[in-house]
Amino acid sequence: MLDGQLGRIADVKDDYPNLLKVDYPLFDFNLVLLKNCRQCQYEELKSLAIQSSYPAAQSYIDNHPFEGDVIKVRNVTAQLNLLTQKRVEGTILLDFLLSTKHPGFDQTAFHKQVLMPMKSFHFVHKRHAAIIPQLTKVLKKLDENGTVQFLKSKYNLSKF
């Protein structure tokens, strides 16, 4: 049964109040800022690129106001292209996406700053709240018997 959102950050409940979190963290990752300058801080940047389809970056900007231009793009590739071409001074993205979508991207040319650690969870619609204890129990069992670690290793997600 597919109901709700799979593998989303906890802030998703703010925009979708009908969703309830399954309290089992699927992945641990970081929201990072890649910058063209080594000494400048987030607040000093004149422009940022963020992905419009991932709420983590927008949520960070909402909670840490930014005075510069925010350019919303569709994917990580566009973000990295804008940064590499110096069309933006920085980009906010999940290290998870950077390492899975662009594992060969040379980050050494940029300054990487961890903005905040994050976790992802499954969410179900409130009309199915009764299945949350069952899902939690099964996910914990899969963790205890090694299945979670096996799958993360198989798909090269062990560090998350």
Side-chain angles (χ1 to χ4, degrees), residues 90-139:
T91 187
I92 298 176
L93 66 162
L94 303 174
D95 62 354
F96 172 80
L97 292 174
L98 186 58
S99 63
T100 56
K101 302 283 185 189
H102 290 277
F105 181 74
D106 181 16
Q107 298 178 41
T108 60
F110 306 97
H111 180 67
K112 182 177 175 180
Q113 177 184 346
V114 174
L115 297 175
M116 63 188 284
M118 305 192 84
K119 294 178 186 291
S120 65
F121 300 88
H122 286 320
F123 289 82
V124 298
H125 193 277
K126 66 182 180 183
R127 69 177 168 257
H128 297 295
I131 68 171
I132 291 176
Q134 295 168 283
L135 281 172
T136 305
K137 183 178 176 181
V138 169
L139 289 168

Side-chain angles (χ1 to χ4, degrees), residues 14 17 22 141:
D14 296 340
V22 177
K141 184 177 179 181

Side-chain angles (χ1 to χ4, degrees), residues 25-70:
L26 301 166
F27 298 105
D28 294 299
F29 48 89
N30 292 308
L31 185 66
V32 297
L33 170 62
L34 285 181
K35 307 179 286 185
N36 278 316
C37 54
R38 298 225 178 257
Q39 301 302 323
C40 60
Q41 298 301 312
Y42 164 80
E43 302 82 15
E44 301 167 339
L45 298 176
K46 293 184 177 90
S47 57
L48 283 174
I50 65 170
Q51 227 179 123
S52 58
S53 59
Y54 283 90
Q58 186 62 56
S59 178
Y60 185 85
I61 291 171
D62 291 345
N63 291 310
H64 302 86
F66 180 72
E67 299 294 325
D69 294 325
V70 177

